[in-house]
Amino acid sequence: MTAEIKSAKDWLNRRFNFYQELEADKRTLEKLENLVNSAVGNYTPREGSTDADKARQRHEDLLADYSEQLETIERKEAEYRGVTETTRKAIAELSKSTYRAIAIDRYINCLKWKDIARVEHISEQHLYKLHGEMLREMAEILRRGTYFD
């Protein structure tokens, strides 16, 4: 695999990598939400428990963290939509419908190779050959286009 073809593959994969990070951020938000909700129960001091003012302050701090995380996710989701749109535009320039189908299934739909082979009704070995051809063409598209972020 030449450096240019590897670069094209990395460019196509950036969307999936971005998606994984976005999902991790969403899990962090969910964890913060659970902490915010559980902190509410600590407002009223029980015998021998923490001070209500400290509990309120902790809750406010958690709400601030939650708000920041939510803003981060909203910003990243907008960026992710842009990355997806750019990737789709580049894929649309591929000359063969088979190349476009493979690229969409792999780099947009995130399907596994065996699943792509099954839906395309071809062997995995032939799929890898077509994928290599598609990557060579994508490298050319990226070389002449304005797709690099």
Side-chain angles (χ1 to χ4, degrees), residues 6 27 39 47 67 75 97 103 113 115 120-121 123 131 147:
K6 181 171 180 346
R27 289 189 296 275
E47 191 174 327
S67 178
R75 180 182 42 79
S97 62
W113 291 117
D115 295 329
E120 292 296 325
H121 307 290
S123 70
H131 179 249
Y147 293 107

Side-chain angles (χ1 to χ4, degrees), residues 95-128:
S95 64
K96 295 183 179 181
S97 62
T98 305
Y99 294 168
R100 290 189 299 272
I102 291 168
I104 289 168
D105 282 340
R106 182 64 179 177
Y107 300 106
I108 300 294
N109 299 333
C110 301
L111 294 181
K112 295 178 180 180
W113 291 117
K114 67 179 180 177
D115 295 329
I116 297 170
R118 184 178 39 79
V119 298
E120 292 296 325
H121 307 290
I122 56 177
S123 70
E124 282 189 58
Q125 185 176 7
H126 187 62
L127 174 62
Y128 297 141

Side-chain angles (χ1 to χ4, degrees), residues 46-111:
R46 292 175 222 125
E47 191 174 327
S49 94
T50 60
D51 181 35
D53 291 334
K54 287 182 184 177
R56 273 191 207 90
Q57 183 59 48
R58 170 82 173 130
H59 186 252
E60 288 173 12
D61 291 345
L62 286 169
L63 283 172
D65 292 346
Y66 179 86
S67 178
E68 288 176 25
Q69 186 68 16
L70 185 59
E71 287 177 17
T72 297
I73 288 171
E74 289 170 350
R75 180 182 42 79
K76 284 184 177 182
E77 283 177 334
E79 190 176 344
Y80 178 72
R81 286 189 297 273
V83 167
T84 300
E85 181 180 332
T86 302
T87 303
R88 282 188 174 278
K89 284 180 182 177
I91 289 171
E93 290 192 38
L94 291 166
S95 64
K96 295 183 179 181
S97 62
T98 305
Y99 294 168
R100 290 189 299 272
I102 291 168
I104 289 168
D105 282 340
R106 182 64 179 177
Y107 300 106
I108 300 294
N109 299 333
C110 301
L111 294 181

